[in-house]
Amino acid sequence: MKKTYFLELLTASKWFLRGIKRGDWVWLLLAVMIASATVTFVEKLGQTVKQSMVRQAANNLGADYVIRSSRPIDAKWQQKAQQLGLETAQAQSLITMALSNDQFQLVQLRAVSPNTPLRSQTQNYPKVSGGKQVWAEQNLVSMMGLSKDSQITLGKQTFSLAGSFQPVSSGIGMGAFAYQMVIPLSQLETTDLKGPGSRVGYELSVAGNPAAIKNFARQVEQAENPHLQTLSAQAPSQDLAKSLDTAWLFLELAALSAVMVAGLSILIASRFYLQRWQSSIALMRAFGAQRAQMSRLFAFQLSWLAVLGSGVGVLLGAGLFQLVIPVLQTYFQSLVVADSGWIYLHGFLMGFLVLWGFAWQAFRSAVQTSPLQLLKSVDSTPKMKQWLISLGLVLIVVISMTGYVFWVLLGLLMTGTVLYLAAIGLLKLVQALQSQSKGWFKLSLAALSKEPGLVKIQLVSIGLVLFVLMLMTFVRQDLMYNWQTSLPKNTPDTFLVNVQPDQKQTVIELLNSHQINAPLVPMARGRLVAVNDTPVKAKDQTSDRARRLLERESNIAVLSTLPSYNELVQQSQAESLTSEQKALLTVSVEEGMAELFGIQLNDVLTFSFTGQEKQYRVDSIRRVQWQSFRLNFFFIVQPGEQPSLPISYISNFTLSNKTISASQLTQQLAQQAPGVLLIDAKRILSQVQTIMSQASWAVTALYGFTLLASLIVLFTATMASQQTRVQSWLLLRTIGATQKEIIKIGLMEFVLLGALAGLLAAIFAQLASWGIGYFVLEIPFSFNPVLWVTSMLTGIFILLMIGWLTQKRYLRQSPRRMAQKWS
Amino acid sequence: MTESLQKKFSNNAVDQPLENEPVLALEKVHYHVSSDEEVLSIIKGCDLSVQPGEKLAIVGRSGSGKSTLLALMAGLELPSEGEIRLLGQALSSLNEDERAKIRAMAVGFVFQNFQLMPSMTALENVLMPLELFQMPNAEQEARSALERVGLSNRLTHRPSELSGGEQQRVAIARAFVTRPKILFADEPTGNLDETTATQIQNLLFQLNDELKTTLVLVTHDNRLAQQCDRALSLQNGQLQA
């Protein structure tokens, strides 16, 4: 039996090679190549960008993974990390006063082990040695008027300034900012700053092989030690994560549309091949081939096609990626090129799946061909089971490519169904018009309605292709524009935190003197501890995000009116409240937070503000634009009559358009309002903007793939109906139509198809633009009339060009030649 | 037939008919198709016996059921009633794959519209049945079959580059290359002009004699039918002498 299969494989291979030489498989091969090249390229690009960003984040963090604790970290963790082959570094930090030139300054003192940081660009962070030396952040140097070898007293020890450094933005969140001084860890004891009541932060940083890091992180999480906080370069800040998500969504959708369009061309091409396959299978069945044997012989050939197409596609995708490496290098200082074998395997498998998914119907219909077909026509309608198999294979493709499976499938299904219904409507219209028209126009309408099944498929596929093209051209432009401009020019780039109530007036005056008109929002540092008397504990949370949020205090705004730039999603009705509920102060909760902890209107939340517990009733749920860089809060509580909360103020404004620089303002703040921290968010902003331009650029690259796949679809759709078309022209020529009339009739069919497909595509592109903008990107709807006109004109133009290119040799041939060619 | 080809077929062999036993026998064969409204009888109680080496013509007008009868005799379809024995095998007792095995072993076909694969060359078309069953020396066999029908200079031509007569020659070469015991021909000259039709008819008969094949052909061409050993007419679903 095995020998038979082997022999069949040999025969199928021989037939496949002959087919390749003849150019039989060219359309299917191109489509498979495009599908797997797209997947390989996108995956490689995506993983490279992600890994490079993680590396960048690791550089900023100084390590791949950091454990922080307010208590000394058990030495077993360092041993475990070392056992896993990871590098380790230790640090301890505390807030203290530094004295120099008779000037006191609050600083974050970091005592670090000599190998700190494990990951960083050397110019950004000092490499400490063991002596009594201190390194100060650049801002501190200017603020305290320090110079080389300045003497700085920290606790009981005096250090000499060895150098300055500019810490890179940690990207971990605003709270992590503080002006730093760095000393060797071995010197910390000599300062005598670690008294019994002092608040010391302990850190263990690790770096090394990603798998080992993952393993280590898992062990730390499993330990469920409530005193251990972890930071990972894998999890960037909330702002970056959201922007990144949007960027990947675009990339995913662009890649998926290229793959789906390639699939569509396989679907149409396989219909075109089906007739040929059926003839040869019917013949072979008559010669005595068994059905299972035919299935194997054809499956082997299709599989060869998948192997060849996917193989070349993977190479093509990898090659294209090599071309874009120089572009990526301009974005990332330390580019980490993804080199996992899984990328190539995924690209290869996708080629396979796309081919089998979209060609399955044709394959099944072909192998079911009855030999009787040689003698008379036999009806064969594909069974529901076969459609389900096709759908299942396509589903695997979609799932493996996007996280938005439901929306993508819904979109595809709806578009396909409506296009199909529209196609039926058009055919009815064509039939009605036919009786009203005359001459060559009537004949071209007749040609269109002659084979309704095929016209429907053509209309659906061409409509879908134009839809994707319009979506990618116009909607992409629209969305990209809206998206990039969603960070307006005067996006706040500077934050002020830790403004004490008695400093409020001074700060306002200082800002006003520089024409900075910024709101000072009162806030308190607090932590959510219970929802409706049920305690919420970090260790009970299943989601990492929820755990992280509960592990540290967050900024809670204390405001009587909500910010105008927050959108109210739900609001409780005053009339339905009990007097008990009315007596409580209110809190407004951010939508994502409400979802994360299952918070609903009128729930009672308990917050702990530096040990003091207070209860609030949920009065509203808000939607917040995290990407806006405005002052946003998860919770906004109503101020009580007695201002008993430990209030400080926070503010943000745009400094880049002012005459004063960040360091000048920092200096003035230090003098007039000591303790106030100025955070320059431009670095985070520029990271976000870089990601956006990267995504925009990558989407454009993928657009090329879709365009290529679309052209193949259009050509295959034309080829699929070629025989019928030529036969009807033959008939018309035979009954005396002139060549000019044939050309008019022939081309009018393409014009009609193109116009209607263009119209349908425009409707869908406009709808999709609205849908993606509204549901995903949260940007306002914009009507684009140019899209409608362009879509229809493009439809007509492309179809006319394809019609002319593919038909001119037939349109000019004598009836005899035509008949011979298509006999 | 070359030795290797014979060996291949004998390995596959189903029971061989006894000497003087008919190659093909029909006993009270009926065939009807049913639609929503009515049952349509196409073949009504046909009896027939075809001896080895015999040339039998079945004549009938267009739509008389000739092609259906041919499909039944070749085991492409099963009768509604009655029995057909092909090479000694009762077809109704065999499943589709077993019937296919008989065809693979000993049946050849020639069609009115040639049924050549348009993208394949003449040689590749003839090679197809040999390669399908992994026959040894396939290419050599195919070349000699094409040589025998006078197309040794047309091996690499595709059907669209051949005349109608040449295309039918390729189809005949393909039918005879497996040395079938019985050859079914459906209107083999139906698409050809008179001169070419005569040439094809002569070729068919000549190969039939040389290879001692039994020939069953259906045609509406009385002239072709008269050249056969026996001609039967299919009228109202029944065979008449």
Side-chain angles (χ1 to χ4, degrees):
Chain A
M1 189 54 112
K2 276 182 187 161
K3 192 183 167 201
T4 313
Y5 290 165
F6 178 70
L7 289 174
E8 281 174 1
L9 177 64
L10 281 183
T11 306
S13 310
K14 210 185 292 176
W15 288 356
F16 173 70
L17 280 177
R18 266 187 220 147
I20 285 284
K21 276 189 204 156
R22 286 194 297 258
D24 269 3
W25 302 98
V26 66
W27 296 109
L28 284 178
L29 198 64
L30 279 172
V32 176
M33 273 162 53
I34 287 179
S36 66
T38 307
V39 175
T40 310
F41 177 73
V42 172
E43 198 106 323
K44 212 156 160 64
L45 179 73
Q47 285 201 18
T48 298
V49 171
K50 273 182 189 162
Q51 286 181 11
S52 301
M53 291 190 69
V54 168
R55 174 58 59 86
Q56 213 146 306
N59 284 345
N60 296 345
L61 193 62
D64 290 334
Y65 189 77
V66 177
I67 303 177
R68 283 186 184 162
S69 176
S70 54
R71 298 175 184 190
I73 297 167
D74 194 334
K76 74 170 181 186
W77 293 115
Q78 186 171 11
Q79 285 162 10
K80 278 192 183 188
Q82 282 165 352
Q83 279 163 10
L84 288 166
L86 295 170
E87 284 182 88
T88 62
Q90 285 170 295
Q92 293 177 25
S93 62
L94 47 88
I95 302 290
T96 186
M97 297 302 273
L99 170 68
S100 183
N101 303 331
D102 295 329
Q103 192 187 339
F104 282 99
Q105 174 64 42
L106 192 76
V107 295
Q108 185 194 9
L109 179 64
R110 280 177 62 77
V112 301
S113 60
N115 55 347
T116 302
L118 295 173
R119 285 205 196 281
S120 179
Q121 289 116 31
T122 45
Q123 67 269 29
N124 283 333
Y125 209 83
K127 282 279 177 196
V128 299
S129 49
K132 290 185 175 44
Q133 289 185 314
V134 65
W135 286 259
E137 190 175 334
Q138 264 161 22
N139 284 333
L140 275 176
V141 173
S142 55
M143 197 186 294
M144 297 177 74
L146 302 175
S147 59
K148 177 95 174 133
D149 296 329
S150 285
Q151 297 298 298
I152 299 166
T153 306
L154 294 159
K156 287 185 177 170
Q157 188 60 263
T158 301
F159 294 83
S160 74
L161 185 70
S164 66
F165 64 94
Q166 180 64 55
V168 282
S169 139
S170 73
I172 311 288
M174 306 304 171
F177 282 81
Y179 296 138
Q180 288 180 24
M181 278 194 175
V182 175
I183 59 167
L185 186 59
S186 56
Q187 296 295 324
L188 185 60
E189 292 298 327
T190 66
T191 63
D192 209 16
L193 285 168
K194 279 174 70 181
S198 58
R199 289 185 61 181
V200 181
Y202 296 84
E203 274 185 28
L204 173 66
S205 303
V206 295
N209 175 296
I213 291 284
K214 219 172 167 179
N215 187 348
F216 182 68
R218 201 174 40 239
Q219 291 190 33
V220 174
E221 275 156 36
Q222 278 167 356
E224 287 188 6
N225 184 335
H227 301 294
L228 296 185
Q229 264 187 38
T230 59
L231 292 173
S232 163
Q234 301 276 356
S237 72
Q238 173 95 18
D239 300 322
L240 278 181
K242 179 85 181 172
S243 298
L244 214 54
D245 279 353
T246 320
W248 295 130
L249 168 73
F250 261 84
L251 214 55
E252 270 176 10
L253 287 181
L256 192 68
S257 55
V259 171
M260 284 296 133
V261 171
L264 208 57
S265 68
I266 291 175
L267 184 75
I268 298 172
S270 62
R271 264 190 73 88
F272 161 59
Y273 289 119
L274 176 63
Q275 218 174 358
R276 203 184 288 177
W277 294 345
Q278 281 182 321
S279 318
S280 65
I281 288 181
L283 199 63
M284 288 191 252
R285 297 268 286 123
F287 288 158
Q290 297 178 7
R291 187 169 284 175
Q293 184 188 4
M294 282 327 310
S295 296
R296 288 192 298 271
L297 281 167
F298 262 71
F300 284 143
Q301 288 187 76
L302 272 184
S303 299
W304 270 127
L305 180 81
V307 168
L308 185 66
S310 304
V312 175
V314 166
L315 290 178
L316 200 67
L320 274 172
F321 178 76
Q322 291 301 317
L323 293 179
V324 305
I325 285 185
V327 185
L328 288 173
Q329 272 162 344
T330 63
Y331 287 115
F332 296 101
Q333 284 163 327
S334 46
L335 187 73
V336 187
V337 175
D339 207 20
S340 139
W342 166 245
I343 295 177
Y344 303 112
L345 185 66
H346 189 216
F348 190 80
L349 288 177
M350 282 301 109
F352 241 89
L353 274 174
V354 170
L355 175 69
W356 276 107
F358 285 93
W360 179 256
Q361 289 301 324
F363 169 75
R364 288 302 300 175
S365 301
V367 297
Q368 295 294 328
T369 307
S370 157
L372 266 181
Q373 197 166 297
L374 294 168
L375 299 168
K376 55 185 185 181
S377 71
V378 179
D379 251 1
S380 67
T381 320
K383 287 183 185 141
M384 182 53 89
K385 184 179 149 199
Q386 309 308 334
W387 283 109
L388 290 177
I389 292 174
S390 267
L391 198 70
L393 292 173
V394 175
L395 195 67
I396 298 175
V397 173
V398 175
I399 289 172
S400 84
M401 290 195 63
T402 176
Y404 292 84
V405 178
F406 175 76
W407 290 108
V408 168
L409 283 183
L410 189 73
L412 282 177
L413 202 70
M414 272 174 56
T415 316
T417 312
V418 177
L419 277 173
Y420 189 75
L421 292 176
I424 293 174
L426 170 85
L427 279 173
K428 289 232 157 82
L429 188 73
V430 165
Q431 279 155 5
L433 269 176
Q434 210 178 316
S435 56
Q436 307 291 317
S437 52
K438 48 188 170 181
W440 60 268
F441 187 65
K442 185 182 180 119
L443 286 171
S444 44
L445 287 175
L448 206 59
S449 55
K450 193 180 167 198
E451 211 176 334
L454 194 61
V455 171
K456 277 179 218 158
I457 289 180
Q458 281 177 318
L459 209 58
V460 171
S461 54
I462 297 169
L464 267 177
V465 164
L466 282 173
F467 162 61
V468 171
L469 287 186
M470 288 301 120
L471 196 67
M472 299 212 54
T473 314
F474 282 92
V475 180
R476 180 179 129 266
Q477 274 176 13
D478 265 12
L479 295 182
M480 283 290 170
Y481 177 76
N482 279 329
W483 182 33
Q484 286 184 337
T485 52
S486 69
L487 280 182
K489 264 193 188 139
N490 55 354
T491 299
D493 55 14
T494 308
F495 289 78
L496 282 191
V497 297
N498 203 28
V499 180
Q500 297 306 312
D502 59 341
Q503 295 173 317
K504 187 182 171 190
Q505 201 48 41
T506 316
V507 170
I508 289 178
E509 280 164 18
L510 177 63
L511 294 179
N512 285 347
S513 71
H514 297 295
Q515 284 79 48
I516 300 167
N517 190 12
L520 282 179
V521 177
M523 50 148 275
R525 301 279 294 166
R527 187 195 303 249
L528 176 69
V529 290
V531 177
N532 293 335
D533 298 328
T534 310
V536 279
K537 287 182 182 155
K539 66 178 174 57
D540 300 335
Q541 304 302 316
T542 47
S543 109
D544 284 346
R545 195 170 157 233
R547 254 201 309 272
R548 275 203 301 275
L549 285 164
L550 293 174
E551 273 168 358
R552 51 175 176 247
E553 292 184 323
S554 58
N555 294 340
I556 296 173
V558 186
L559 289 169
S560 47
T561 49
L562 301 180
S564 57
Y565 48 84
N566 280 187
E567 184 193 339
L568 215 55
V569 183
Q570 288 179 53
Q571 168 99 55
S572 71
Q573 303 298 317
E575 55 270 25
S576 60
L577 297 174
T578 62
S579 56
E580 201 174 289
Q581 284 176 320
K582 277 181 188 162
L584 283 172
L585 291 172
T586 59
V587 57
S588 173
V589 184
E590 188 265 338
E591 194 182 26
M593 189 60 43
E595 206 171 301
L596 196 60
F597 293 107
I599 298 171
Q600 295 184 341
L601 283 184
N602 297 324
D603 279 354
V604 175
L605 307 187
T606 309
F607 292 96
S608 164
F609 296 98
T610 53
Q612 179 189 356
E613 293 205 347
K614 278 189 155 296
Q615 289 198 321
Y616 294 87
R617 177 182 60 81
V618 179
D619 186 53
S620 63
I621 290 176
R622 290 165 298 127
R623 185 169 295 150
V624 162
Q625 302 254 337
W626 288 107
Q627 289 152 297
S628 68
F629 276 82
R630 303 184 83 151
L631 285 178
N632 284 316
F633 300 91
F634 290 128
F635 303 103
I636 299 177
V637 298
Q638 194 182 11
E641 282 177 12
Q642 300 284 319
S644 56
L645 292 177
I647 294 274
S648 69
Y649 290 84
I650 181 166
S651 181
N652 73 343
F653 45 86
T654 314
L655 195 63
S656 50
N657 56 4
K658 304 291 181 218
T659 47
I660 189 167
S661 71
S663 61
Q664 284 168 324
L665 189 60
T666 306
Q667 211 164 356
Q668 292 178 9
L669 277 168
Q671 286 158 1
Q672 296 180 32
V676 172
L677 276 180
L678 181 140
I679 296 162
D680 182 1
K682 276 197 283 293
R683 269 195 210 90
I684 298 182
L685 273 177
S686 82
Q687 254 180 307
V688 170
Q689 267 156 351
T690 305
I691 295 166
M692 285 181 172
S693 50
Q694 280 162 5
S696 147
W697 169 84
V699 168
T700 309
L702 285 175
Y703 176 59
F705 277 111
T706 316
L707 201 67
L708 205 64
S710 307
L711 283 176
I712 296 177
V713 171
L714 296 175
F715 270 100
T716 46
T718 313
M719 296 306 288
S721 54
Q722 193 60 46
Q723 182 149 15
T724 330
R725 197 175 296 120
V726 171
Q727 276 166 354
S728 64
W729 293 345
L730 257 177
L731 183 71
L732 290 171
R733 286 299 289 267
T734 317
I735 60 173
T738 64
Q739 195 172 31
K740 208 173 161 184
E741 279 165 336
I742 296 280
I743 291 176
K744 275 192 213 164
I745 294 165
L747 296 184
M748 183 44 96
E749 187 188 332
F750 288 92
V751 170
L752 287 171
L753 262 178
L756 191 94
L759 178 69
L760 291 175
I763 297 173
F764 276 97
Q766 187 72 75
L767 278 174
S769 155
W770 169 78
I772 295 180
Y774 185 82
F775 292 109
V776 184
L777 301 180
E778 297 166 14
I779 50 175
F781 171 75
S782 61
F783 178 77
N784 192 343
V786 184
L787 180 150
W788 294 74
V789 178
T790 317
S791 178
M792 286 184 69
L793 287 181
T794 312
I796 294 173
F797 179 74
I798 293 182
L799 266 279
L800 201 57
M801 284 302 14
I802 286 179
W804 180 244
L805 284 173
T806 54
Q807 307 307 310
K808 64 180 179 190
R809 60 197 169 121
Y810 304 113
L811 289 166
R812 286 173 173 167
Q813 261 171 15
S814 68
R816 201 179 154 272
R817 280 290 304 155
M818 234 198 280
Q820 204 173 2
K821 168 89 186 155
W822 288 92
S823 60
Chain B
M1 193 189 294
T2 62
E3 212 173 297
S4 55
L5 221 58
Q6 278 171 335
K7 197 176 166 198
K8 174 87 190 174
F9 280 130
S10 61
N11 284 344
N12 272 348
V14 288
D15 296 341
Q16 294 294 307
L18 298 170
E19 222 169 307
N20 295 328
E21 190 179 319
V23 179
L24 175 70
L26 277 69
E27 291 160 26
K28 297 186 176 49
V29 168
H30 288 261
Y31 185 77
H32 26 255
V33 286
S34 47
S35 67
D36 291 344
E37 291 143 24
E38 55 179 347
V39 176
L40 199 66
S41 285
I42 297 171
I43 304 293
K44 300 171 190 167
C46 286
D47 290 303
L48 176 68
S49 175
V50 184
Q51 296 306 314
E54 190 182 352
K55 295 186 201 65
L56 169 74
I58 295 170
V59 220
R61 279 182 312 203
S62 179
S64 60
K66 301 190 297 287
S67 296
T68 304
L69 186 62
L70 189 78
L72 290 168
M73 291 189 291
L76 299 179
E77 199 153 19
L78 286 175
S80 309
E81 288 170 47
E83 185 60 270
I84 297 172
R85 296 179 75 82
L86 179 62
L87 299 161
Q89 296 288 313
L91 295 183
S92 60
S93 64
L94 304 176
N95 65 25
E96 207 175 300
D97 280 347
E98 286 165 337
R99 297 201 304 274
K101 213 180 241 180
I102 296 182
R103 288 200 298 275
M105 199 189 79
V107 178
F109 288 96
V110 174
F111 303 96
Q112 179 178 4
N113 53 3
F114 325 132
Q115 296 287 357
L116 298 177
M117 292 294 104
S119 64
M120 292 184 184
T121 62
L123 182 63
E124 286 167 356
N125 267 291
V126 179
L127 266 172
M128 188 171 75
L130 297 173
E131 288 181 337
L132 182 64
F133 301 109
Q134 293 95 37
M135 296 298 169
N137 307 320
E139 187 161 338
Q140 193 190 323
E141 292 283 342
R143 280 174 186 274
S144 78
L146 280 165
E147 198 173 331
R148 188 172 270 178
V149 298
L151 288 179
S152 53
N153 55 344
R154 300 291 223 181
L155 300 179
T156 56
H157 288 63
R158 294 193 183 173
S160 61
E161 297 160 342
L162 300 171
S163 70
E166 286 171 325
Q167 288 186 52
Q168 193 60 301
R169 280 167 191 264
V170 176
I172 290 171
R174 183 181 61 189
F176 278 104
V177 77
T178 56
R179 318 283 169 122
K181 287 190 164 42
I182 183 164
L183 184 87
F184 293 102
D186 181 23
E187 303 275 14
T189 57
N191 269 358
L192 304 171
D193 62 67
E194 203 171 321
T195 318
T196 316
T198 310
Q199 287 169 357
I200 289 297
Q201 172 195 315
N202 291 340
L203 177 67
L204 203 55
F205 288 165
Q206 178 203 329
L207 286 173
N208 194 58
D209 288 339
E210 278 176 25
L211 301 170
K212 299 188 173 39
T213 312
T214 308
L215 178 65
V216 177
L217 61 87
V218 299
T219 179
H220 62 267
D221 180 355
N222 282 320
R223 209 175 46 85
L224 173 62
Q226 279 161 16
Q227 305 286 318
C228 293
D229 301 333
R230 185 157 59 119
L232 296 171
S233 160
L234 184 65
Q235 284 176 20
N236 299 320
Q238 290 180 322
L239 282 172
Q240 292 165 3

